[in-house]
Amino acid sequence: MWPKIRWRLRVLLSIWTLCFNVAHSQEIHKIAAVPSGTAEGSTEGGTRLIIDGLGFSKDLSGGGNQVYVGGRACKVIDYYSVPETRIVVDTPPGEHDDIRQPVEVIVDGRRRAIKYGFYYRSYRTPHLYRVEPYTASPGQLLKYRGYFIDGGLYSGSVERIRQIGIGEYGHCQVPDEDDTELKDLRFQIDCNGPVTATPGYYNASLVIAGVYGKAKVTELFQYPDYGRLEGRGYMVNPKGESYMVQIVPRITSISHNNGSMAGGLEITIRGEGFVEDSARVQVDIDGTSCPIKSIGAKDT
């Protein structure tokens, strides 16, 4: 009798273990860029991937899923992910062009799934070679000029802007953004710079949806068809730091345009891009420094 009971207990335990392992296994079924459906993207990173599978973490907000491409951590987009079955990420920059990269998912710090299937492609990397003008005031129209290496856009495909900005200001306003389409090998994107930007030196960023991703800034660009130098992406500020756009204040009005030669007239200067720290502000009239009495909310 006891041997039969032990045998049945072993069978039940084996079935329970099998069910437990199946319920807690992780599998990656598909890796695809959004919305193209292929698993490739920019060598600069920023390609948005959907990873579909089973056994992923239920804890989205607590960082239950960690994803690595080629051994480098991805940014997990929790609010687009689905508990247990879907993870949405932005890829990190990659070093190896045209080599199939492993995509690894670590679930709740313990369990892991891995699948080879993402490619960094230099020809899928947008190139940004200039932002005009080099010097602008807050809110001024900026022109992003660049090009695509691949000729796929000539076939009528449409790619959209996912992010465009300067410095920590990650989003510039693109006029009629929902209708903005990139259908050509060479592109120009117009956007209104952030009105809240303070004076300083900034680098630009551009991320294109689909199989592309983050744009690479080309220091010196030579357009292949014409062989001529188009311009310089980066410039160098007095501190030796590279930048693409300098934001400067803009004066829109002065309360008085004349006064006593002896001075003493209080005037109000209005504009954009001012800072509230008086230690960073100097006002000169005809080469003579004026004492600052007050500074308003970045505009007076």
Side-chain angles (χ1 to χ4, degrees), residues 135-157:
T135 301
S137 58
Q140 184 174 337
L141 186 71
L142 301 174
K143 298 180 183 292
Y144 285 61
R145 297 184 183 273
Y147 65 99
F148 295 97
I149 294 179
D150 68 338
L153 296 180
Y154 279 126
S155 64
S157 63

Side-chain angles (χ1 to χ4, degrees), residues 104-116:
E104 182 180 8
V105 177
I106 297 178
V107 180
D108 296 327
R110 302 185 305 275
R111 308 184 303 274
R112 132 181 143 158
I114 190 167
K115 183 180 181 72
Y116 283 79

Side-chain angles (χ1 to χ4, degrees), residues 41-63:
S42 170
T43 58
E44 299 294 299
T47 304
R48 183 150 294 179
L49 293 181
I50 288 179
I51 303 171
D52 287 327
L54 292 175
F56 300 151
S57 178
K58 297 179 181 179
D59 182 12
L60 299 183
S61 60

Side-chain angles (χ1 to χ4, degrees), residues 167-276:
E168 68 270 25
Y169 304 95
H171 190 76
C172 295
Q173 182 180 356
V174 178
D176 299 323
E177 184 169 3
D178 292 338
D179 297 326
T180 301
E181 299 177 352
L182 307 179
K183 294 183 178 179
D184 204 349
L185 186 65
R186 205 174 182 187
F187 64 79
Q188 174 183 307
I189 305 168
D190 296 344
C191 73
N192 295 317
V195 296
T196 56
T198 56
Y201 299 94
Y202 296 92
N203 285 316
S205 61
L206 174 65
V207 180
I208 306 297
V211 293
Y212 297 99
K214 187 176 181 181
K216 179 178 181 179
V217 177
T218 307
E219 295 227 17
L220 288 174
F221 168 63
Q222 189 172 13
Y223 193 63
D225 288 355
Y226 301 105
R228 68 170 184 264
L229 191 65
E230 283 285 334
R232 185 183 297 272
Y234 287 116
M235 289 158 291
V236 179
N237 67 17
K239 294 182 178 180
E241 301 166 334
S242 298
Y243 75 96
M244 297 186 73
V245 180
Q246 181 184 8
I247 298 296
V248 297
R250 184 169 74 96
I251 296 174
T252 56
S253 68
I254 301 175
S255 60
H256 298 81
N257 59 10
N258 57 67
S260 170
M261 294 184 63
L265 176 67
E266 182 176 306
I267 64 174
T268 299
I269 302 172
R270 298 186 181 277
E272 299 170 341
F274 297 167
V275 295
E276 298 184 49

Side-chain angles (χ1 to χ4, degrees), residues 118-148:
F118 181 80
Y119 291 86
Y120 288 106
R121 307 282 198 194
S122 58
Y123 64 83
R124 294 298 196 189
T125 305
H127 285 249
L128 178 64
Y129 65 84
R130 189 164 63 216
V131 176
E132 299 174 345
Y134 295 135
T135 301
S137 58
Q140 184 174 337
L141 186 71
L142 301 174
K143 298 180 183 292
Y144 285 61
R145 297 184 183 273
Y147 65 99
F148 295 97

